[in-house]
């Protein structure tokens, strides 16, 4: 079965850190552009970070630059999102997606989506 699965969400105080992981089953991530998205209650989904060409291309949304780091481990077939100095406005469901290319911090023409993981930052 071809699928993505996110893990690592949880509750953290403002200023804290979380590390999200996106794991693929049934296919290899290094052929895809992997994007992390988030959707807060009542808001549209937004692209947070995107990685392509096994790390040869990386882009972040302005709101997370300098605090979030996206990385790829082809041996483990995972893409991680290290989130530091978290702010309350980072509270959202975080999704990863496997697509054809990155346009800025957004992966495009996504073939696969994960089910999402909740991140809650308390102020």
């Amino acid at each position: 079965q071809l699928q993505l699965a996110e893990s690592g969400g949880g509750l953290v105080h403002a200023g804290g850190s979380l590390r999200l992981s996106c794991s693929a089953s049934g296919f290899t991530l290094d052929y895809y552009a992997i994007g992390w998205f988030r959707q807060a209650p009542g808001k549209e989904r937004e692209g947070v970070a995107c990685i392509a060409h096994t790390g040869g291309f990386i882009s972040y949304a302005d709101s997370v630059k300098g605090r979030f780091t996206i990385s790829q481990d082809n041996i483990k077939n995972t893409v991680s999102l290290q989130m530091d100095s978290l702010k309350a406005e980072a509270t959202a469901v975080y999704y990863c997606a496997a697509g054809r290319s990155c346009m800025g911090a957004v992966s495009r023409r996504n073939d696969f989506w994960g089910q999402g993981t909740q991140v809650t930052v308390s102020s």
Side-chain angles (χ1 to χ4, degrees):
Q1 188 174 3
L2 308 179
Q3 61 182 9
L4 289 174
E6 303 92 343
S7 61
L11 173 64
V12 64
H13 292 297
S17 298
L18 281 175
R19 186 177 181 88
L20 306 183
S21 290
C22 174
S23 300
S25 300
F27 66 101
T28 304
L29 285 178
D30 56 356
Y31 292 120
Y32 290 86
I34 308 302
W36 280 100
F37 297 80
R38 66 186 179 187
Q39 188 164 20
K43 295 187 177 180
E44 293 187 356
R45 184 176 61 198
E46 64 170 336
V48 174
C50 193
I51 186 169
H53 308 301
T54 318
F57 176 89
I58 290 176
S59 185
Y60 299 96
D62 288 343
S63 58
V64 306
K65 278 181 182 176
R67 299 185 298 111
F68 288 16
T69 304
I70 190 170
S71 60
Q72 186 163 353
D73 186 331
N74 287 334
I75 295 175
K76 295 181 179 179
N77 205 26
T78 61
V79 170
S80 297
L81 184 68
Q82 176 68 37
M83 307 187 295
D84 298 319
S85 302
L86 282 162
K87 303 177 181 179
E89 51 262 40
T91 295
V93 178
Y94 284 70
Y95 301 88
C96 63
R100 308 298 178 90
S101 64
C102 294
M103 179 172 287
V106 176
S107 57
R108 299 287 300 272
R109 299 176 65 192
N110 294 300
D111 293 325
F112 303 101
W113 286 87
Q115 81 288 350
T117 186
Q118 176 70 47
V119 170
T120 303
V121 184
S122 63
S123 57

